[in-house]
Amino acid sequence: MMEKQDIFLHNNPHERYNLRMQRCREKMERKHTTEVNQCKRKVRVCVATCNRADYSKLAPIMFGIKNNPEEFELEVVVLGSHLIDDYGNTFRMIEQDDFDIGSKLHTIVRGEDEAAMVESVGLALVKLPDVLQRLSPDILVVHGDRFDALALATAAALMNIRILHLEGGEVSGTIDDSIRHAISKLAHYHACCTRRAEQHLIAMCEDHSRILLAGCPSYDKLLSNNHRDDYMDIIRSWLGDKVQDSGYIVALQHPVTTDIHSSIKIYGLMLDALISFNKKTLILFPNIDAGSKEMVRVMRKKGIEQHPNFKAVKHIPFDHFIQLVSHAGCMIGNSSGGVREAGAFGTPVINLGSRQTGRETGENVLHVRDADTQDKIYHALELQFGKRYPCSKIYGDGNAVPRILKFLRTIDLDEPLQKTFCFPSVKECISQDIDHILETQSALAVDLGGTNLRVAIIGMRGKIVEKYTQPNPKSFEARMQLILKMCADAMRDAVSLNCRILGVGVSTGGRVNPQEGLVLHSTNLIQEWSAVDLRTPISDALHLPVWVDNDGNCAALAEKKFGYGKNVENFVTVITGTGIGGGIIHNNELIHGSTFCAAELGHIMVSLEGPECSCGSRGCIEAYASGNALQREAKRLQDEDLLKVEGLNIKQAETITAAHLISAARLGNNQADTVLNKASTALGVGIVNILHIVNPTLVILSGVLASYYQAPVQRIISERALKSAQDIKVLTSVLEEPALLGAASMVLDYTTRRLH
């Protein structure tokens, strides 16, 4: 039998024609889409790796390219010390990672002196053209500042192959700087790690449209894999069963090719200091630079390989290296791993000599630039060993590879290959860069309220880009788990929102020690929230610096950066909400007090025999004027049948709130009006006391009751304050989220001062 649709089409020739035409169009569209997809060829990317160090930076990119076979073809070239037995034959770890090595080039001329480095560059230049011609890549990815990489960049530039240079623009001292900057001038595109490196490239006349601020690719693996349950098994596999977490040292010292004699001397002094310090030490052999052979001789002369406290190794897989550095009591030497990667864990580092001079570092690094005595190095070990520092993300946030892959997709392979340089003044470029920072640099703000837990991504200008809200759990464990989950979710979203998170600010009720990130005593609204270290777990989980302060102080900071307090040196913010709180800005600084109890404005006493306050005392402002106090009085009037007034309809099951009290007063209820007058007077008198103590320029009322209290408080000041203080203005805050904005301002103000 014919279906109904078939019968309809059989009886309607016009509809049959339309259906045939529609099917024909769909067929043509499918054919066109197929042809377009076939014409869009894959981008052939060649990644060249020279040694164990650069592979740790390149491997995450290689995995990213390999995981997108529909867009990219990956070719791998291995050369340099990867292929030398004395340096661990580290090409095997590339094969273990299941990469097909297209070419292995033996390019190292042994000798480990200056002449051997030059000869190695020449040998690489002889061998590379055949390989690059055979592979014919669209883009060659080159890392860093090694002489092998200089040979790669030189060959590719002369053969008209586009070059993407990783980690350009950095400053580290030694010949590496000259090599790195030379590669930058040869490269067509740049993926740099820090804002300062980006500015250096711009100052070097590189086209800022071809510079990507990506972060360090090694951080992608480093930040995702550093919390492994089996980390002690890894540590003990390298250092023995008796070693303890944070009870050992990682040592890694390389030659300084511009001052070989001095670097060998420092190496010997470091070994003597480590022997005297008498801690278990994992020491890695130096790299292949000129002077390394002499350093190995010093190590063997001192018997390090046979010493019971030392384990000397040529190579450690990067995932094991992460665990070893993350849990070390200290890292010592002059490796960039100490200056860069170790900061992500807060591991204390001692940087010896001049090799890393100029690199950006976190506060975990102690420099011993003139390491001219064993005692000086030993003293540095005493200062640093066993410490822990806030985690730093100067060099990356764990999302470098997605940014680099996105950048690779935007490269137009049909545009002219000729490299152009931008010669306008550096000032113009920096100005454009700062505008970019103001648009994209962001903070993660956390507000712990009695009812809700809120997290927001907030930009430099105070724009709330995204906000997340969940009910605040009652138990400590559940609350911490939810904070970390919400923050992690926000961090993931920040990448797609083009926001770079600089740090985390936390606003919470109670008394807070902001120096240590501790909640000392909480309010009654937040249970199980006293003697809590908030900074450490959040910083450890997100690898970001964390600031914590009282919600009242945060409200004041929000006004200082985004509200009426902007450009005002002295003002007071009073929060009129469920409780009464606030913050005092004096001479542009927030007042905390000797025991972090300053600006507890809600507990200023205005009566000796007033109602009982939540703090246990009587007659506090909060006992009269807070939302809880007004709700209590509204309920009392309701229970006594005194809240009734024409126009106010309260349902039988409805919860009585402060809003009912205010509505009743406005409708003419004398009892409600009396309660509110007493509350307004208590708040006004309390603020008068504040004016007489700190004499601010301005009073800003914040919170849900602020608009109601503004006029009465202004009147009471004019009536009761000293004549010199009667003209001080009372304003109602226009900020919608003062706690979140204040939490964000702690991050944004610090990073603004640090960067600019």
Side-chain angles (χ1 to χ4, degrees):
M1 292 180 63
M2 295 179 66
E3 297 288 340
K4 289 183 179 180
Q5 184 181 14
D6 296 333
I7 296 172
F8 175 76
L9 293 174
H10 178 75
N11 296 327
N12 292 273
H14 181 68
E15 290 299 329
R16 287 203 308 274
Y17 173 78
N18 287 339
L19 182 60
R20 284 198 303 271
M21 293 301 296
Q22 179 182 345
R23 287 172 177 169
C24 184
R25 283 194 298 270
E26 290 175 352
K27 184 177 179 181
M28 292 297 293
E29 287 173 0
R30 285 196 299 270
K31 182 179 178 182
H32 176 71
T33 301
T34 302
E35 289 174 349
V36 168
N37 290 336
Q38 289 173 347
C39 292
K40 186 180 178 182
R41 68 180 182 87
K42 299 177 183 179
V43 179
R44 185 186 289 264
V45 182
C46 178
V47 178
T49 173
C50 310
N51 55 64
R52 67 191 181 195
D54 77 13
Y55 180 66
S56 69
K57 317 293 177 64
L58 293 168
I61 301 173
M62 293 161 66
F63 279 113
I65 293 171
K66 186 177 179 181
N67 291 336
N68 288 272
E70 70 286 353
E71 297 178 280
F72 302 107
E73 289 183 19
L74 175 64
E75 295 288 349
V76 180
V77 174
V78 172
L79 63 159
S81 60
H82 272 309
L83 303 169
I84 297 179
D85 182 62
D86 287 353
Y87 294 90
N89 280 327
T90 49
F91 74 89
R92 293 196 181 99
M93 66 183 179
I94 303 172
E95 294 175 336
Q96 289 168 2
D97 284 340
D98 202 24
F99 289 113
D100 294 327
I101 299 176
S103 295
K104 296 177 185 174
L105 297 180
H106 292 271
T107 57
I108 297 299
V109 176
R110 301 306 300 271
E112 285 78 22
D113 58 13
E114 295 95 329
M117 291 169 63
V118 177
E119 291 170 350
S120 297
V121 172
L123 182 58
L125 285 171
V126 169
K127 293 187 174 185
L128 279 168
D130 286 342
V131 173
L132 294 178
Q133 196 167 42
R134 174 171 55 83
L135 297 178
S136 187
D138 296 312
I139 300 167
L140 175 71
V141 180
V142 179
H143 169 270
D145 50 23
R146 306 291 302 143
F147 57 84
D148 323 72
L150 178 60
L152 282 161
T154 303
L158 291 172
M159 296 179 69
N160 291 324
I161 296 170
R162 299 171 194 274
I163 303 166
L164 171 63
H165 183 211
L166 304 180
E167 296 189 11
E170 295 184 20
V171 178
S172 62
T174 79
I175 193 65
D176 292 354
D177 275 347
S178 300
I179 294 175
R180 183 188 306 107
H181 301 330
I183 296 172
S184 292
K185 302 316 294 178
L186 292 166
H188 304 87
Y189 307 94
H190 308 273
C192 58
C193 297
T194 69
R195 181 70 59 185
R196 188 181 299 173
E198 180 187 33
Q199 292 176 345
H200 288 164
L201 288 169
I202 293 171
M204 291 163 63
C205 301
E206 294 298 309
D207 184 349
H208 66 271
S209 69
R210 294 189 171 197
I211 301 171
L212 170 69
L213 177 54
C216 183
S218 67
Y219 269 55
D220 289 24
K221 185 173 182 181
L222 180 144
L223 295 179
S224 61
N225 291 340
N226 72 307
H227 290 296
R228 283 178 52 165
D229 294 335
D230 63 344
Y231 73 92
M232 282 308 303
D233 294 335
I234 293 171
I235 293 169
R236 286 169 179 159
S237 71
W238 290 95
L239 286 161
D241 293 338
K242 294 183 180 180
V243 71
Q244 299 296 319
D245 190 351
S246 301
Y248 61 93
I249 297 170
V250 174
L252 180 52
Q253 181 91 356
H254 299 304
V256 178
T257 53
T258 51
D259 192 359
I260 295 173
H261 178 74
S262 176
S263 65
I264 294 169
K265 179 184 175 183
I266 291 173
Y267 189 64
L269 293 172
M270 179 191 76
L271 295 177
D272 290 337
L274 288 169
I275 292 169
S276 300
F277 199 65
N278 197 32
K279 297 290 183 185
K280 205 73 175 175
T281 301
L282 180 71
I283 185 165
L284 281 84
F285 277 63
N287 65 19
I288 201 167
D289 283 351
S292 63
K293 189 162 53 177
E294 288 82 356
M295 291 175 72
V296 172
R297 285 198 192 105
V298 171
M299 183 174 72
R300 286 175 174 159
K301 186 176 179 180
K302 294 181 183 293
I304 295 300
E305 290 170 293
Q306 290 77 41
H307 196 288
N309 272 352
F310 287 82
K311 176 69 177 296
V313 297
K314 295 177 180 178
H315 166 67
I316 299 173
F318 187 64
D319 54 345
H320 284 202
F321 184 73
I322 291 171
Q323 304 306 316
L324 288 159
V325 172
S326 173
H327 297 279
C330 179
M331 186 173 181
I332 187 170
N334 64 2
S335 166
S336 62
V339 172
R340 299 165 66 97
E341 281 83 357
F345 312 122
T347 301
V349 172
I350 300 168
N351 183 56
L352 302 177
S354 61
R355 190 171 186 266
Q356 300 300 334
T357 298
R359 281 222 194 258
E360 297 172 73
T361 67
E363 60 182 287
N364 64 309
V365 177
L366 174 63
H367 293 283
V368 188
R369 292 188 174 90
D370 297 320
D372 49 1
T373 66
Q374 173 188 336
D375 289 344
K376 189 182 289 186
I377 300 173
Y378 186 91
H379 185 57
L381 285 165
E382 288 183 318
L383 290 174
Q384 287 286 77
F385 186 79
K387 275 191 176 182
R388 280 290 133 184
Y389 291 90
C391 300
S392 164
K393 279 195 176 178
I394 293 174
Y395 288 97
D397 61 2
N399 296 293
V401 172
R403 294 188 183 104
I404 291 171
L405 293 181
K406 182 179 178 182
F407 188 57
L408 286 171
R409 293 184 187 103
T410 65
I411 293 176
D412 184 358
L413 300 178
D414 295 323
E415 70 177 357
L417 186 65
Q418 176 62 51
K419 180 174 178 176
T420 57
F421 299 95
C422 297
F423 290 108
S425 67
V426 174
K427 184 176 180 181
E428 286 186 18
C429 296
I430 291 176
S431 174
Q432 294 167 3
D433 180 57
I434 288 174
D435 287 342
H436 178 67
I437 289 172
L438 293 175
E439 291 172 0
T440 61
Q441 301 304 282
S442 307
L444 207 59
V446 181
D447 176 35
L448 285 135
T451 304
N452 290 321
L453 172 59
R454 300 182 302 158
V455 173
I457 302 169
I458 298 179
M460 191 69 81
R461 294 190 176 104
K463 178 184 176 182
I464 298 177
V465 181
E466 196 72 47
K467 186 167 68 174
Y468 313 80
T469 303
Q470 293 285 346
N472 197 348
K474 300 302 181 184
S475 69
F476 167 78
E477 291 80 5
R479 188 175 299 126
M480 286 304 305
Q481 287 178 6
L482 183 58
I483 291 172
L484 296 178
K485 182 183 182 303
M486 291 176 71
C487 287
D489 291 345
M491 288 285 291
R492 280 193 296 272
D493 291 347
V495 176
S496 61
L497 293 167
N498 199 30
C499 295
R500 189 177 297 273
I501 304 298
L502 301 172
V504 183
V506 182
S507 167
T508 181
R511 189 162 66 94
V512 175
N513 177 349
Q515 297 171 5
E516 302 295 333
L518 301 176
V519 180
L520 301 175
H521 302 291
S522 182
T523 65
N524 292 336
L525 298 174
I526 308 178
Q527 302 168 18
E528 293 187 31
W529 207 240
S530 295
V532 173
D533 178 4
L534 277 180
R535 174 177 292 163
T536 300
I538 297 176
S539 181
D540 285 350
L542 303 181
H543 303 279
L544 284 171
V546 177
W547 289 264
V548 185
D549 213 330
N550 167 272
D551 51 6
N553 289 334
C554 285
L557 291 172
E559 296 295 340
K560 179 66 180 170
K561 188 165 184 66
F562 303 114
Y564 286 126
K566 200 170 186 178
N567 301 320
V568 179
E569 291 187 3
N570 302 283
F571 68 91
V572 174
T573 297
V574 181
I575 301 176
T576 56
T578 306
I580 300 288
I584 300 172
I585 301 290
H586 184 66
N587 293 335
N588 283 319
E589 295 294 334
L590 189 64
I591 294 177
H592 283 102
S594 60
T595 59
F596 314 106
C597 198
E600 286 288 352
L601 308 183
H603 301 293
I604 294 175
M605 295 178 65
V606 292
S607 171
L608 296 178
E609 300 297 333
E612 186 176 353
C613 182
S614 61
C615 69
S617 185
R618 287 186 173 275
C620 299
I621 296 176
E622 189 169 293
Y624 286 101
S626 67
N628 279 344
L630 297 184
Q631 183 181 29
R632 182 191 65 233
E633 289 299 303
K635 190 174 184 308
R636 178 182 63 79
L637 292 178
Q638 174 71 358
D639 291 344
E640 295 175 5
D641 208 24
L642 298 175
L643 197 60
K644 288 182 178 180
V645 63
E646 186 176 351
L648 180 66
N649 297 316
I650 302 175
K651 297 177 182 178
Q652 187 171 1
E654 190 174 354
T655 302
I656 303 299
T657 66
H660 292 112
L661 188 74
I662 294 171
S663 297
R666 286 174 174 165
L667 292 169
N669 185 309
N670 291 331
Q671 298 286 341
D673 192 55
T674 299
V675 170
L676 289 172
N677 281 335
K678 185 182 290 187
S680 300
T681 302
L683 180 61
V685 169
I687 291 176
V688 168
N689 291 335
I690 298 169
L691 302 186
H692 292 167
I693 295 169
V694 296
N695 191 29
T697 306
L698 185 66
V699 175
I700 303 171
L701 297 182
S702 179
V704 294
L705 298 171
S707 59
Y708 175 79
Y709 280 132
Q710 180 187 5
V713 168
Q714 187 75 75
R715 175 177 52 79
I716 290 165
I717 290 174
S718 65
E719 293 173 354
R720 302 200 180 202
L722 292 173
K723 188 172 181 59
S724 57
Q726 287 179 358
D727 294 332
I728 291 174
K729 292 294 182 186
V730 179
L731 301 177
T732 300
S733 174
V734 294
L735 301 179
E736 293 183 10
E737 299 284 3
L740 285 172
L741 289 172
S745 73
M746 292 189 287
V747 178
L748 301 176
D749 275 351
Y750 169 80
T751 52
T752 300
R753 286 199 296 266
R754 178 169 66 85
L755 291 175
H756 309 301

